[in-house]
């Protein structure tokens, strides 16, 4: 993560220095980022929609619009499965990740 706007920081409940220069899973509080190997290096990362969409944009330049992605997130109230709708765009050598919507995934 290089930077985040005010809405993104408010969503995360963090200040810029708490996300800048951190891996995405650490910034988002992904439950698996705390496992041995860390963000991007656990067995769960292979199927992480957020990571896979970001990597597709980085490697192939594909833009994505409002793609649903589920993430197991650490919160003060415990772990929650969150549904994100994300969009990506390549800007030079960096990727712009936009969180279009987020909500807790309710049990079915």
């Amino acid at each position: 993560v290089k930077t985040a706007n005010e809405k993104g920081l408010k969503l995360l409940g963090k200040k810029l220095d708490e996300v800048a220069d951190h891996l995405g899973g650490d910034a988002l509080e992904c439950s698996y980022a705390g496992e041995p190997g860390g963000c991007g290096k656990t067995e769960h990362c292979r199927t992480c929609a957020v990571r896979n969409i970001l990597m597709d944009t980085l490697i192939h330049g594909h833009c994505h619009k409002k793609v649903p992605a589920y993430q197991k997130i650490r919160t003060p109230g415990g772990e929650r499965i969150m549904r994100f709708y994300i969009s990506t765009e390549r800007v030079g050598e960096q990727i712009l990740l936009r969180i279009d919507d987020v909500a807790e995934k309710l049990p079915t």
Side-chain angles (χ1 to χ4, degrees):
V1 175
K2 293 297 179 192
T3 191
N5 64 20
E6 285 184 44
K7 286 184 180 182
L9 293 171
K10 185 176 179 180
L11 173 72
L12 296 173
K14 296 183 176 188
K15 296 179 181 174
L16 183 57
D17 65 345
E18 295 175 290
V19 298
D21 297 321
H22 288 77
L23 297 173
D26 296 325
L28 289 172
E29 297 291 336
C30 171
S31 293
Y32 303 116
E35 290 188 1
C39 178
K41 300 212 172 34
T42 75
E43 66 181 62
H44 305 282
C45 300
R46 288 181 283 132
T47 59
C48 174
V50 175
R51 182 177 192 279
N52 290 334
I53 291 165
L54 285 166
M55 294 306 293
D56 182 59
T57 302
L58 178 66
I59 294 167
H60 303 291
H62 299 146
C63 292
H64 295 272
K65 303 286 183 205
K66 298 183 179 179
V67 178
Y70 295 89
Q71 193 82 23
K72 192 177 192 183
I73 302 293
R74 294 184 309 266
T75 72
E79 290 184 339
R80 304 273 194 263
I81 297 177
M82 304 301 290
R83 181 201 68 214
F84 294 91
Y85 282 93
I86 61 171
S87 297
T88 60
E89 176 183 345
R90 187 172 179 163
V91 181
E93 293 299 313
Q94 297 184 34
I95 305 304
L96 172 64
L97 168 68
R98 186 178 67 232
I99 299 173
D100 298 304
D101 189 28
V102 63
E104 184 170 358
K105 181 181 177 196
L106 300 175
T108 54

